[in-house]
Amino acid sequence: MYDFAVFWDWMAFAVRWLHVITAIAWIGSSFYFIALDLGLNRDIPGPADGEEWQVHGGGFYHIQKYLVAPERMPEHLTWFKWESYATWLSGAALLMIVYWVGGELYLIDAQKADLALWQGILISAASLTVGWLVYDFLCESGLGERPTLLMVLLFVLLVAMGWGYSQIFTGRAMMLHLGAFTATIMTANVFFIIMPNQRIVVDDLKNGRTPDPKYGKIAKLRSTHNNYLTLPVVFLMLSNHYPLAFATQYNWIIAALVFLMGVTIRHYFNTRHARGGNPTWTWLVTALLFIAIMWLSTAPMYKPLEEAEAQPLTPFEQRFASADGFEEAHDVVLGRCSMCHAREPVWEGILWAPKGVLLETEADTARNAKQIYLQAGVSHAMPPANVTYMEPEDRDAIIRWVRNAGLQRD
């Protein structure tokens, strides 16, 4: 059974790799076109709304933009959509692999909400859909004519969702789901709004009709939202590697401040690209927001050891704690790993448990059985450089224990 765990971990790695590649393509094209649109020279003759001369790779490019559409449909038209679709699809697959299949460890926090895994998965999936519906309703309600108010309401929605996720999910799942929630809005903008509107314009051109400029205006509003949401989404997707971001009671406030940082950073670059000046005040605001985030991250992250030891084991933890060989494996983990992976680490230079993984109590060891198996059993990733001198027989004990748990389950 646990040879399959190795395959599954490689599957997660492959999907994560794909997700990063497609995200680079989507973010890159998004940033490029926003910068291009803002920097166009609009003082030109003819029907084009603006033009730009660029140099790259030893060649020169002459780019023109038409506000609604050109007079006739060009023979070759490049559509930018699959970057967005592939990013969302690979991200959804990764969410399922890590947070649905591994839900007992990464998704549900039993100390916050007494939910079955299927209930957590249902909340996870439904929340992404509901988020898009609420956001789309706001955009269609007439607030599109008041973009600043619309952005404020979108921010309130995101903060509310962050708080809601924090009441149910683990800290890292809260951050990741808020990122997925935002990314779903962004990709749905492309799929349901931007691309259909562009198809209407193309169809009008093909049939000799004059395109309605409202479709371009609507698409540009949604594209602008995507532009301001991109940087916070990247932060949220990276946050699961940093316990200071997710393993604090104020993680949802940290996420809210990150969204504000996204606005200040993009405002600076957008203003510069539009030749609207040099708003250096955004640097100070961004720095102050980041300092506030660092201060919030120092709030107590974990329950005291005594309280954690008194916490009853969940069915998932009990399965591994009752497996043959658990006592021996737990002793190995305590002796070789817990000095760093502790609520108050004692290893010099380690201030917080790496990746937020705690390995002090029996529940800690049982809860992290699969990662212990992969990191310190079948591979020698942990301890790093084997600084605690974990012996081959120690790794064998871990492998026997976890495989016994799998066999006993079957």
Side-chain angles (χ1 to χ4, degrees):
M1 174 181 176
Y2 276 92
D3 287 337
F4 178 75
V6 176
F7 166 80
W8 194 253
D9 209 51
W10 273 109
M11 177 69 73
F13 190 179
V15 175
R16 189 182 299 275
W17 188 20
L18 173 64
H19 185 53
V20 170
I21 292 170
T22 55
I24 290 172
W26 184 18
I27 294 170
S29 62
S30 173
F31 280 7
Y32 171 75
F33 278 105
I34 287 290
L36 175 64
D37 183 69
L38 292 172
L40 288 173
N41 175 22
R42 290 181 164 81
D43 186 19
I44 60 173
D49 179 57
E51 69 175 6
E52 180 79 6
W53 283 90
Q54 298 183 352
V55 59
H56 180 74
F60 292 87
Y61 298 81
H62 182 205
I63 305 165
Q64 290 186 322
K65 176 188 176 181
Y66 292 83
L67 188 58
V68 180
E71 294 181 0
R72 63 180 181 85
M73 184 67 195
E75 294 182 3
H76 176 71
L77 185 64
T78 301
W79 296 78
F80 290 86
K81 56 182 179 179
W82 285 109
E83 297 92 338
S84 173
Y85 301 164
T87 300
W88 190 89
L89 290 171
S90 58
L94 189 60
L95 183 146
M96 295 175 189
I97 291 172
V98 176
Y99 290 93
W100 291 10
V101 176
E104 296 97 340
L105 175 59
Y106 295 122
L107 182 64
I108 300 297
D109 189 336
Q111 299 177 19
K112 295 179 180 178
D114 185 16
L115 296 175
L117 178 57
W118 69 267
Q119 293 173 313
I121 293 173
L122 183 62
I123 293 172
S124 169
S127 66
L128 304 184
T129 303
V130 170
W132 158 251
L133 294 176
V134 173
Y135 163 77
D136 187 57
F137 171 78
L138 292 175
C139 291
E140 298 291 342
S141 67
L143 289 170
E145 301 298 326
R146 305 175 67 184
T148 301
L149 177 59
L150 179 57
M151 283 291 289
V152 170
L153 292 177
L154 175 57
F155 175 70
V156 171
L157 172 63
L158 293 170
V159 174
M161 286 305 303
W163 177 84
Y165 282 136
S166 71
Q167 304 305 302
I168 300 173
F169 295 156
T170 64
R172 58 181 293 173
M174 169 261 151
M175 287 286 201
L176 190 284
H177 276 76
L178 187 57
F181 178 91
T182 310
T184 298
I185 289 175
M186 296 169 66
T187 296
N189 274 337
V190 175
F191 185 80
F192 291 113
I193 304 298
I194 297 174
M195 293 307 300
N197 285 7
Q198 290 179 341
R199 292 191 186 98
I200 291 173
V201 172
V202 169
D203 185 65
D204 285 340
L205 283 174
K206 288 181 177 180
N207 291 280
R209 297 188 296 267
T210 300
D212 190 332
K214 73 174 184 179
Y215 296 109
K217 182 179 179 181
I218 294 172
K220 185 175 181 179
L221 175 67
R222 302 296 183 103
S223 181
T224 301
H225 289 170
N226 284 4
N227 176 252
Y228 280 100
L229 294 173
T230 298
L231 294 181
V233 168
V234 174
F235 179 98
L236 294 169
M237 295 309 180
L238 293 174
S239 66
N240 65 91
H241 298 285
Y242 296 92
L244 284 174
F246 69 77
T248 167
Q249 59 182 309
Y250 300 123
N251 50 20
W252 65 277
I253 301 178
I254 289 174
L257 296 181
V258 167
F259 279 107
L260 294 179
M261 286 176 61
V263 171
T264 57
I265 293 171
R266 289 311 304 163
H267 178 73
Y268 174 78
F269 285 101
N270 290 344
T271 303
R272 289 293 303 273
H273 292 149
R275 303 182 182 92
N278 187 24
T280 52
W281 61 267
T282 59
W283 299 1
L284 176 61
V285 174
T286 303
L288 291 175
L289 288 171
F290 196 69
I291 291 171
I293 286 173
M294 290 190 291
W295 177 71
L296 289 170
S297 72
T298 60
M301 294 192 291
Y302 310 113
K303 290 187 175 182
L305 178 61
E306 297 76 12
E307 188 174 343
E309 289 178 325
Q311 187 77 23
L313 300 181
T314 66
F316 176 80
E317 295 164 352
Q318 185 62 52
R319 169 193 158 199
F320 288 95
S322 61
D324 292 340
F326 172 74
E327 292 80 5
E328 182 182 3
H330 181 54
D331 288 341
V332 170
V333 170
L334 285 178
R336 308 297 187 186
C337 310
S338 64
M339 60 283 295
C340 295
H341 291 278
R343 287 154 182 84
E344 296 182 5
V346 296
W347 191 274
E348 184 177 357
I350 302 294
L351 301 179
W352 297 276
K355 299 292 184 69
V357 175
L358 301 173
L359 298 174
E360 294 181 287
T361 69
E362 291 187 354
D364 293 338
T365 301
R367 185 182 309 113
N368 292 284
K370 292 180 182 179
Q371 286 304 311
I372 294 171
Y373 174 78
L374 292 172
Q375 301 284 341
V378 296
S379 80
H380 292 190
M382 290 292 162
N386 202 21
V387 292
T388 59
Y389 304 103
M390 183 177 285
E391 301 293 341
E393 52 267 29
D394 294 333
R395 300 185 191 278
D396 290 341
I398 290 172
I399 292 173
R400 285 195 303 272
W401 158 54
V402 177
R403 289 182 174 174
N404 284 339
L407 292 173
Q408 290 172 9
R409 183 185 188 186
D410 295 339

